[in-house]
Amino acid sequence: MTGTDTSTQAPPEAPSLGRKVGSAARWSLLNTVVMRLGNFVTGIILARFFLGPEAWGIYGIAQTVLLVLLSANELGVSLAIVRWEGDPRRFAPTVLTLSASSSCLLYAVLFTAAPAVARVLGSPEASGILRVMCVCVVLDGLSQVPAGFLTREFAQGRRMAIDAVNFVLSTGVTLLLAVEGWGAMSFAWGSVAGNAAALVSCCLAAPGTLRFGWDREQARSLLRFGLPLAGASMLALGVVNVDTMVVGSALDQLALGFYVLAFNISGWPVRIISEAARRVSFAGFSRLADSPGALAGGFGRALGVVMTGTVPLCVLLAALAAPIVGLVYGDRWLPAAAALPWLMALGLVRIGCELAYDCLVAIGRRRSLIGVQGLWLVILIPVLVVGAGAGGIVGVAQGHVLVAGAVVVPVFLYALHRGGVALRTVARACAWPFLGGAAMAAVVLGLERLLGNGVLALLATAAAGSVCYALCILPSLGFLRGSPPAGATAAAGG
């Protein structure tokens, strides 16, 4: 009887984790979709009525610098709140002290160097915007600990409320200042207002976590854990944003504005699908890190779900680039459409690489990450410079895709293989979405030529392509749900 009791009481822990991850994923997806749709509408209003390509380019430079700084402003130590075993409140004060100190130091350096940075990037007018917008570096450093607690607890419902406050305040301030003629500076003050509200909201949602403290041994362990991750993260953000720097320095602000808009559009699927997944993927992979089989299966299903949701968005935006840009933003933005199909291909690669990044971090393959990201950046910079000279913003986009497909994807696959995720797992996750995407692209391109570019024609084309894609991926639904293969089920029954 005792053995029977033990066997019946042991399993609940795994389903409990599964329910947490599933609930968090649903909240995270809803949050991301709602916030991104809001940002999408705001961007349309600003681009059509208030800001031209030159102002958009200046904003793009400031946003690029901010993102690179945010990638390492807390030295990578905040991930210990999510990853380390035990009670995180024991070492959270040291994490907060390290995060806040490094963020303030980084902002002080940026404040001093802002004029020189702006000149090097081809936008001297961005100096003041950099100094304002990068206040967000300090605010983000302070919010890392309470946000980490929310991620560790899979509390994505509370994260959605925090992001809603951030969005409402940042958007309101940005629109108000844009109407008053502040130009690109409206983005800067809007970002600061939103991040300040997010910091306050994080503290309210995770009370008692904003507490400073110091323990020398904890600090050493945290830095040994975090610095490699911060380096890899900075390299990853450098990879994503170095193209903006190349366009800004090699071309003019008009071209930069078009490129920034095209890159932002290509990021819609990345942000909607990948950002939602990454808010739970790292915590989920971390819980499976000690079980190679479960980790490989979890990664395969996560990649399959992410690709299944992303491919149709990428196909639509790539195949209908010119009519979508003209319809949504106006004809003056049409030059941005030329680079968009290539950037959509890059976006698809980025989604898979970001999920692989989280998996490799969770299993402790930090050196592999630094190697992959470093190789990517070293090869990418000269290719982008050559591409900018040869083909403008289209050449830059093509260079991105060339390096990602020919170099980065194979290296990531090798790193995953060494971490226990076989190539066949990745191939199985991507096969049906890619097949469906190819069929969908053929249908969309054919119908566009037949029906034209009117609003109703575009809606009909998108609907027909989506139906075609849905039919193609039906055989993969069992895999995406985590159902065992039919043969395995029969064997179990026998």
Side-chain angles (χ1 to χ4, degrees), residues 37-52 56 167 171 174-176 178-179 187 261 328-330 332-333:
L37 284 176
N39 285 324
F40 166 64
V41 173
T42 304
I44 293 173
I45 294 171
L46 290 169
R48 287 190 75 99
F49 303 111
F50 301 112
L51 299 178
W56 211 268
F167 170 76
T171 302
T174 300
L175 288 174
L176 178 63
V179 171
F187 283 112
L261 184 78
V328 173
Y329 291 98
R332 67 170 173 168
W333 291 97

Side-chain angles (χ1 to χ4, degrees), residues 18-61:
R19 283 194 297 271
K20 282 184 177 181
V21 173
S23 175
R26 287 190 293 272
W27 274 109
S28 183
L29 179 60
L30 176 63
N31 179 19
T32 305
V33 170
V34 171
M35 294 303 113
R36 294 310 170 191
L37 284 176
N39 285 324
F40 166 64
V41 173
T42 304
I44 293 173
I45 294 171
L46 290 169
R48 287 190 75 99
F49 303 111
F50 301 112
L51 299 178
E54 293 86 352
W56 211 268
I58 293 172
Y59 161 69
I61 287 292

